[in-house]
Amino acid sequence: MGIFSERLKEAMQQANITSAQLSKQTGIGRSSISQWLSNKYVAKHDKVTALAAVLNVSPDWLLGTTDVATAVPPEAVPIPVSVTPTPAVDPELITLWEQLDTKQRSKLIKKARKLLTKSAEQPNTKRKKNKKKKKGKKRK
């Protein structure tokens, strides 16, 4: 029997989880899990990662590339910090938005999109109107 199928079975027993429960928690089809358990196939990397997360084991251990079964605890994984700050929204805008019903909100969104499209089409430079100079009548 293959090492992947053996370790998958072992991890499922340790986690006290059935293939149906594993399928539901990972979103992986029961037939795929059944084929892996019967050693017909070995799961692809993304599936191994999903299985390992639910079973709380290392993906490398499931694949047989290491003998250390423990997964990295969630608190040890660094949380990514957002680099782009969220722009502040004018409180008045929020107050107005909350007062609108669904239909009015939809109209406002549509108008905002038109405004953005219009401003993207036109450069932000102010246009000078070409005023024709009035020529005074010459008296003879």
Side-chain angles (χ1 to χ4, degrees), residues 7-70:
R7 290 193 174 180
L8 181 57
K9 285 178 187 175
E10 184 181 335
M12 288 172 63
Q13 288 171 350
Q14 290 294 323
N16 195 26
I17 191 169
T18 66
S19 58
Q21 292 167 328
L22 186 60
S23 171
K24 190 172 185 177
Q25 290 182 26
T26 59
I28 298 170
R30 286 174 42 182
S31 62
S32 294
I33 294 171
S34 174
Q35 290 175 343
W36 298 331
L37 289 169
S38 64
N39 199 29
K40 288 184 180 177
Y41 301 103
V42 175
K44 291 184 180 177
H45 185 272
D46 60 329
K47 305 299 184 192
V48 172
T49 305
L51 293 167
V54 170
L55 297 170
N56 198 28
V57 294
S58 162
D60 290 331
W61 178 81
L62 270 178
L63 291 170
T65 58
T66 184
D67 290 332
V68 181
T70 56

Side-chain angles (χ1 to χ4, degrees), residues 47-134:
K47 305 299 184 192
V48 172
T49 305
L51 293 167
V54 170
L55 297 170
N56 198 28
V57 294
S58 162
D60 290 331
W61 178 81
L62 270 178
L63 291 170
T65 58
T66 184
D67 290 332
V68 181
T70 56
V72 177
E75 59 273 5
V77 177
I79 299 170
V81 179
S82 177
V83 183
T84 309
T86 306
V89 178
D90 187 334
E92 183 181 9
L93 184 60
I94 295 171
T95 304
L96 291 169
W97 179 262
E98 290 171 346
Q99 294 174 19
L100 298 175
D101 62 27
T102 307
K103 189 175 180 181
Q104 292 169 322
R105 288 178 179 182
S106 179
K107 283 183 180 180
L108 182 59
I109 290 170
K110 191 174 182 180
K111 287 185 181 203
R113 285 188 179 132
K114 283 183 181 178
L115 183 63
L116 288 171
T117 304
K118 198 175 194 180
S119 67
E121 291 172 358
Q122 298 175 353
N124 284 341
T125 58
K126 292 183 180 179
R127 293 184 184 182
K128 292 183 180 179
K129 293 182 180 178
N130 292 332
K131 293 184 180 179
K132 293 182 180 178
K133 293 182 180 177
K134 293 182 181 179

